Amino acid sequence: MLIKSILLIVIGTLTLFAGIKSFSHHRGGHLNEARMEKRADYMIKRVTSQLDLNADQAAKLEAIKQELLTNGIPLAKSRGDIADVLLTEAVGNDFDVAAVNAVFEQKENDFEQLRSNLVEQIAAFHASLSDEQREKLNKKLSKIKEKRSRYK
Protein backbone atom coordinates (compact mmCIF):
# COMPACT_ATOMS: atom_id res chain seq x y z
CA MET A 1 0.00 0.00 0.00
CA LEU A 2 2.84 2.42 0.84
CA ILE A 3 4.64 1.60 -2.41
CA LYS A 4 1.43 2.19 -4.36
CA SER A 5 0.97 5.61 -2.70
CA ILE A 6 4.56 6.62 -3.40
CA LEU A 7 4.27 5.43 -6.99
CA LEU A 8 1.08 7.49 -7.47
CA ILE A 9 2.77 10.59 -6.05
CA VAL A 10 5.79 10.17 -8.33
CA ILE A 11 3.64 9.56 -11.41
CA GLY A 12 1.42 12.53 -10.52
CA THR A 13 4.43 14.81 -10.08
CA LEU A 14 6.01 13.70 -13.35
CA THR A 15 2.69 14.16 -15.15
CA LEU A 16 2.36 17.66 -13.70
CA PHE A 17 5.83 18.70 -14.82
CA ALA A 18 5.38 17.08 -18.24
CA GLY A 19 2.15 19.06 -18.61
CA ILE A 20 3.93 22.28 -17.66
CA LYS A 21 6.66 21.53 -20.18
CA SER A 22 4.17 20.69 -22.92
CA PHE A 23 2.04 23.76 -22.23
CA SER A 24 5.03 26.11 -22.17
CA HIS A 25 6.19 24.94 -25.60
CA HIS A 26 2.68 25.25 -26.98
CA ARG A 27 2.28 28.78 -25.64
CA GLY A 28 5.69 29.96 -26.87
CA GLY A 29 5.49 28.12 -30.16
CA HIS A 30 2.64 30.14 -31.63
CA LEU A 31 4.61 33.37 -31.78
CA ASN A 32 5.00 34.05 -35.47
CA GLU A 33 7.38 37.00 -35.74
CA ALA A 34 6.45 37.91 -39.31
CA ARG A 35 2.74 37.94 -38.46
CA MET A 36 3.36 39.97 -35.31
CA GLU A 37 5.42 42.51 -37.22
CA LYS A 38 2.73 42.79 -39.89
CA ARG A 39 0.10 43.31 -37.17
CA ALA A 40 2.29 45.94 -35.46
CA ASP A 41 2.75 47.78 -38.77
CA TYR A 42 -1.01 47.76 -39.29
CA MET A 43 -1.59 49.16 -35.79
CA ILE A 44 1.01 51.89 -36.27
CA LYS A 45 -0.57 52.89 -39.57
CA ARG A 46 -4.00 52.97 -37.95
CA VAL A 47 -2.90 54.96 -34.88
CA THR A 48 -0.92 57.36 -37.07
CA SER A 49 -4.01 57.96 -39.19
CA GLN A 50 -6.55 58.20 -36.37
CA LEU A 51 -4.44 60.53 -34.23
CA ASP A 52 -3.04 62.41 -37.22
CA LEU A 53 0.54 61.96 -35.99
CA ASN A 54 3.41 64.00 -37.38
CA ALA A 55 6.70 62.41 -38.48
CA ASP A 56 8.35 62.81 -35.06
CA GLN A 57 5.41 61.22 -33.24
CA ALA A 58 5.26 58.37 -35.75
CA ALA A 59 8.99 57.76 -35.25
CA LYS A 60 8.43 57.48 -31.47
CA LEU A 61 5.66 54.96 -32.08
CA GLU A 62 7.94 53.02 -34.44
CA ALA A 63 10.62 52.90 -31.71
CA ILE A 64 8.09 51.30 -29.34
CA LYS A 65 7.27 48.69 -31.98
CA GLN A 66 10.94 47.93 -32.55
CA GLU A 67 11.56 47.50 -28.82
CA LEU A 68 8.70 45.03 -28.59
CA LEU A 69 9.79 43.08 -31.67
CA THR A 70 13.49 43.09 -30.79
CA ASN A 71 13.26 42.31 -27.08
CA GLY A 72 9.67 41.34 -26.32
CA ILE A 73 9.32 38.43 -28.74
CA PRO A 74 12.52 36.65 -27.66
CA LEU A 75 11.48 37.10 -24.03
CA ALA A 76 8.06 35.60 -24.74
CA LYS A 77 9.59 32.73 -26.70
CA SER A 78 11.92 31.89 -23.82
CA ARG A 79 9.07 31.23 -21.38
CA GLY A 80 9.69 27.51 -21.72
CA ASP A 81 13.11 27.88 -20.08
CA ILE A 82 11.55 27.89 -16.62
CA ALA A 83 9.54 24.77 -17.35
CA ASP A 84 12.65 23.07 -18.76
CA VAL A 85 14.62 23.73 -15.57
CA LEU A 86 11.71 22.68 -13.35
CA LEU A 87 11.29 19.45 -15.26
CA THR A 88 15.03 18.72 -15.18
CA GLU A 89 15.19 19.32 -11.45
CA ALA A 90 12.01 17.36 -10.74
CA VAL A 91 13.30 14.18 -12.36
CA GLY A 92 16.77 14.41 -10.79
CA ASN A 93 17.82 13.08 -7.41
CA ASP A 94 18.31 16.54 -5.91
CA PHE A 95 16.29 19.67 -6.59
CA ASP A 96 18.77 22.49 -7.29
CA VAL A 97 17.04 25.54 -5.85
CA ALA A 98 19.87 27.81 -6.99
CA ALA A 99 19.50 26.71 -10.64
CA VAL A 100 15.74 27.31 -10.61
CA ASN A 101 16.14 30.68 -8.91
CA ALA A 102 18.86 31.67 -11.40
CA VAL A 103 16.49 31.08 -14.34
CA PHE A 104 13.70 33.04 -12.64
CA GLU A 105 16.09 35.90 -11.84
CA GLN A 106 17.33 36.04 -15.43
CA LYS A 107 13.76 36.22 -16.76
CA GLU A 108 12.89 38.90 -14.20
CA ASN A 109 15.96 40.94 -15.20
CA ASP A 110 15.14 40.60 -18.90
CA PHE A 111 11.54 41.68 -18.26
CA GLU A 112 12.68 44.57 -16.05
CA GLN A 113 14.91 45.85 -18.85
CA LEU A 114 12.11 45.55 -21.42
CA ARG A 115 9.62 47.25 -19.11
CA SER A 116 12.00 50.08 -18.30
CA ASN A 117 12.73 50.79 -21.97
CA LEU A 118 9.08 50.60 -22.98
CA VAL A 119 7.88 52.91 -20.22
CA GLU A 120 10.50 55.50 -21.22
CA GLN A 121 9.48 55.29 -24.88
CA ILE A 122 5.76 55.39 -24.12
CA ALA A 123 6.30 58.44 -21.90
CA ALA A 124 8.20 60.19 -24.70
CA PHE A 125 5.42 59.36 -27.17
CA HIS A 126 2.76 60.55 -24.75
CA ALA A 127 4.62 63.81 -24.11
CA SER A 128 4.77 64.47 -27.85
CA LEU A 129 0.98 64.30 -28.25
CA SER A 130 -1.20 67.38 -28.32
CA ASP A 131 -4.14 67.68 -25.92
CA GLU A 132 -6.53 66.79 -28.75
CA GLN A 133 -4.51 63.70 -29.66
CA ARG A 134 -4.39 62.59 -26.01
CA GLU A 135 -8.15 62.97 -25.78
CA LYS A 136 -8.65 60.82 -28.90
CA LEU A 137 -6.19 58.24 -27.58
CA ASN A 138 -7.90 58.16 -24.19
CA LYS A 139 -11.28 57.55 -25.80
CA LYS A 140 -9.91 54.75 -27.99
CA LEU A 141 -8.09 53.05 -25.11
CA SER A 142 -11.15 53.34 -22.87
CA LYS A 143 -13.29 51.65 -25.54
CA ILE A 144 -10.72 48.87 -25.93
CA LYS A 145 -10.51 48.37 -22.18
CA GLU A 146 -14.29 48.24 -21.85
CA LYS A 147 -14.61 45.84 -24.77
CA ARG A 148 -11.90 43.45 -23.58
CA SER A 149 -12.30 43.73 -19.83
CA ARG A 150 -13.03 40.52 -18.01
CA TYR A 151 -14.12 42.45 -14.94
CA LYS A 152 -17.07 44.57 -15.92
Side-chain angles (χ1 to χ4, degrees), residues 57-124:
Q57 293 168 326
K60 285 177 172 49
L61 198 56
E62 179 68 26
I64 293 169
K65 178 193 95 169
Q66 287 304 320
E67 179 69 25
L68 284 170
L69 293 175
T70 303
N71 298 321
I73 291 175
L75 184 60
K77 283 188 169 188
S78 70
R79 289 183 295 193
D81 295 353
I82 294 171
D84 290 342
V85 170
L86 285 172
L87 184 61
T88 300
E89 295 305 322
V91 298
N93 291 334
D94 295 320
F95 192 91
D96 187 353
V97 174
V100 173
N101 282 331
V103 172
F104 271 102
E105 288 171 11
Q106 181 61 49
K107 297 299 168 209
E108 290 167 356
N109 290 338
D110 292 347
F111 181 76
E112 170 65 24
Q113 184 65 43
L114 175 65
R115 181 200 54 78
S116 177
N117 291 342
L118 280 175
V119 169
E120 292 287 329
Q121 291 174 347
I122 291 169

